[in-house]
Amino acid sequence: QVQLVESGGGSVQAGGSLTLSCAASRYSGGIACMGWFRQAPGKEREGVAAIETDSDRTYYADSVQGRFTISRDKVKNTMNLHLNVLNNEDTAVYYCAAGLCRWSLGGRWDPRPDDYNYWGQGTQVTVSS
């Protein structure tokens, strides 16, 4: 079992920045992919970013590409998500997750919540105009 705990959410004005952190309770070896998902009220949970644990290769949703950055600290067993140039559409509960990365036949990242076995409790990010 791996327990994941997020921190760093909060309220920010549009155009601002936040950094979310995810701490794993134990060494996450054997887990191929770690990622961030988000869920806004009335919407499905969507993948935001992911990082492969063996290669540190990163993947992003089109909506956050160029604005968000995912990173890992293998020594501290943590994962961060830096959110920049935030807008109202980024308001959601953000979840840290661990599991498998998936790609479509065309090679695009295809994040599916069912591929992730472990989840954090979520942290709220609210962006105001």
Side-chain angles (χ1 to χ4, degrees):
Q1 280 282 0
V2 177
Q3 289 185 326
L4 304 174
V5 179
E6 303 97 336
S7 61
S11 297
V12 64
Q13 289 193 326
S17 301
L18 279 176
T19 297
L20 307 182
S21 294
C22 174
S25 62
R26 66 166 180 80
Y27 175 60
S28 55
I31 294 175
C33 187
M34 295 193 70
W36 290 92
F37 285 73
R38 67 185 181 186
Q39 188 165 19
K43 294 187 177 181
E44 293 186 353
R45 190 168 297 190
E46 63 172 353
V48 175
I51 184 166
E52 291 185 74
T53 57
D54 57 353
S55 66
D56 282 341
R57 189 173 301 177
T58 58
Y59 305 92
Y60 297 93
D62 290 343
S63 59
V64 306
Q65 180 76 49
R67 299 188 298 120
F68 292 8
T69 303
I70 189 171
S71 62
R72 286 181 70 216
D73 185 325
K74 297 177 182 178
V75 174
K76 295 181 179 179
N77 218 20
T78 58
M79 178 177 65
N80 291 331
L81 184 68
H82 303 281
L83 297 73
N84 297 311
V85 195
L86 286 160
N87 59 57
N88 293 346
E89 297 297 314
D90 297 316
T91 294
V93 177
Y94 284 70
Y95 297 90
C96 169
L100 297 174
C101 286
R102 179 192 291 264
W103 301 268
S104 67
L105 290 177
R108 288 178 60 85
W109 180 46
D110 183 13
R112 302 185 186 186
D114 287 347
D115 289 336
Y116 293 77
N117 306 98
Y118 305 104
W119 291 85
Q121 81 287 353
T123 185
Q124 176 71 46
V125 172
T126 302
V127 184
S128 59
S129 300

